[in-house]
Amino acid sequence: MAVGQLTHLADTVTLSTNSSAAATIPNDGSVAVGDLLLAACVMPSGSRTFSISGGAGAWTSLGTAMQSGHMSQLWWRIAEAGDLGATITVTPNTGNIRQVLLLGRVRGALASNPIAAASNTSAAATTKTTPSLGSVGASSREIGVVWDSRGAATPQTAAWTAPAGHTRRAQAFTTSGSGACSAAWGDSDTTVSGTIGSRVWTADQSALGSAWTLAVAPGEQTVDTARIESTAVLYAPTLAPGTATVTPGRIEPTSTLYGPVLAPGAVTIGPARIDAATALPTPTLTPGPVTLAPATIAPTTVLYAPQLDGFDPDITLTIGAPAAAWAVATPASRWEVGPPS
């Protein structure tokens, strides 16, 4: 996991009549459980020490930078649920004195050992150069912190300028006068590795002071196994088809998928039943000779029955074939009809 940049959360300056400085860790979502919390404080004394309290657990000190009339100190802890909304208090071991307290956080630091290296140096000049650190691991974040303090001399420092490649995240100043103090901090614009530090911060006034270099180690990569998205859309791989061995429980027909051309061939069918094909063909019927053998032939008398009208003794009526002539004779008062003689 990449280390995030330094986020300034709060700062507090006190008067010479105050015995402690306090700042509150936000509970508005700007700090999450697992974040690296940083607290840093300065006072114009080289003979006193600080103690820190507040939050869900103990703070780890990174040491002190001391010289006559000046002392700065840094602490860290990994945020827990009880830290959200908690007030952090820094208190000198004796007396009232001016202080400048800075509170910040860094996301993505290694929880087990977030500060890979830290170093400080003291100087009395307008510029403050952060100490050099070597062999810093890859993807670390470099943080620089600078301070100054003065006795009765004026004017008070009013501005700090960050070095190239770094961004100032905050600066703070007490009121001017005896024991006036100021502070500024920032971080590298990109992650770093190897040798870091030796960054020159410039104040608008010369004064006693100190400078710090911190290397924040990146956290371990974690994977949420509850949801792993397909990488096909992200990386758009080119798919090259190759040989595939499949041992399925069921193989579906591929005709729909691959649209093969089907060429019909011989088919052998052995059915249990073949229905008559009478209804399928329509035969053409050709009529031929018909032989009739009737049992009887009805007389044709009705067909040929003539209609005889009147009486004429001179008429000879021939019915049927010439050989079957019928003679009508007389003149008698009766008809004689018979076969020809």
Side-chain angles (χ1 to χ4, degrees):
M1 180 183 297
V3 181
Q5 293 185 312
L6 172 65
T7 297
H8 180 71
L9 300 175
D11 57 73
T12 299
V13 297
T14 67
L15 300 173
S16 59
T17 55
N18 293 115
S19 61
S20 63
T24 300
I25 300 172
N27 190 17
D28 58 1
S30 58
V31 177
V33 173
D35 287 350
L36 169 64
L37 297 174
L38 294 172
C41 200
V42 66
M43 62 180 168
S45 172
S47 61
R48 306 184 203 189
T49 58
F50 283 122
S51 64
I52 187 171
S53 62
W59 291 79
T60 300
S61 175
L62 293 173
T64 58
M66 301 178 68
Q67 61 174 314
S68 178
H70 178 88
M71 197 275 278
S72 63
Q73 189 169 351
L74 271 71
W75 303 263
W76 68 268
R77 64 174 274 102
I78 298 298
E80 300 176 20
D83 292 313
L84 306 181
T87 297
I88 308 305
T89 302
V90 176
T91 305
N93 65 334
T94 181
N96 298 334
I97 195 167
R98 294 178 187 270
Q99 299 166 71
V100 177
L101 172 62
L102 303 178
L103 187 63
R105 64 97 169 149
V106 177
R107 188 154 290 168
L110 181 63
S112 60
N113 187 25
I115 306 300
S119 183
N120 64 74
T121 186
S122 300
T126 302
T127 60
K128 303 294 186 291
T129 302
T130 61
S132 176
L133 291 175
S135 302
V136 172
S139 301
S140 298
R141 182 71 62 179
E142 179 182 349
I143 294 177
V145 190
V146 289
W147 314 88
D148 69 4
S149 59
R150 64 190 69 243
T154 55
Q156 159 71 327
T157 300
W160 286 94
T161 301
H166 280 230
T167 298
R168 188 186 70 201
R169 300 302 176 185
Q171 59 181 355
F173 313 93
T174 65
T175 57
S176 60
S178 179
C181 302
S182 72
W185 64 358
D187 61 346
S188 56
D189 295 337
T190 61
T191 55
V192 296
S193 62
T195 300
I196 65 172
S198 299
R199 314 292 181 182
V200 179
W201 288 74
T202 305
D204 64 342
Q205 301 293 330
S206 179
L208 298 172
S210 57
W212 292 71
T213 300
L214 278 62
V216 180
E220 298 175 348
Q221 182 68 42
T222 59
V223 177
D224 182 4
T225 57
R227 179 180 179 184
I228 299 178
E229 300 289 349
S230 170
T231 60
V233 176
L234 296 177
Y235 302 103
T238 301
L239 304 178
T243 303
T245 301
V246 180
T247 310
R250 176 180 178 184
I251 299 178
E252 300 289 348
T254 59
S255 56
T256 301
L257 296 176
Y258 303 106
V261 177
L262 303 179
V267 178
T268 301
I269 299 176
R273 174 182 176 183
I274 297 179
D275 291 324
T278 305
L280 295 177
T282 304
T284 301
L285 302 179
T286 303
V290 176
T291 301
L292 301 178
T296 59
I297 297 177
T300 61
T301 306
V302 175
L303 295 177
Y304 301 101
Q307 180 68 42
L308 302 179
D309 293 324
F311 174 78
D312 187 345
D314 298 322
I315 293 175
T316 299
L317 175 63
T318 301
I319 299 174
W326 295 82
V328 179
T330 60
S333 58
R334 60 181 177 88
W335 291 90
E336 290 182 1
V337 180
S341 57

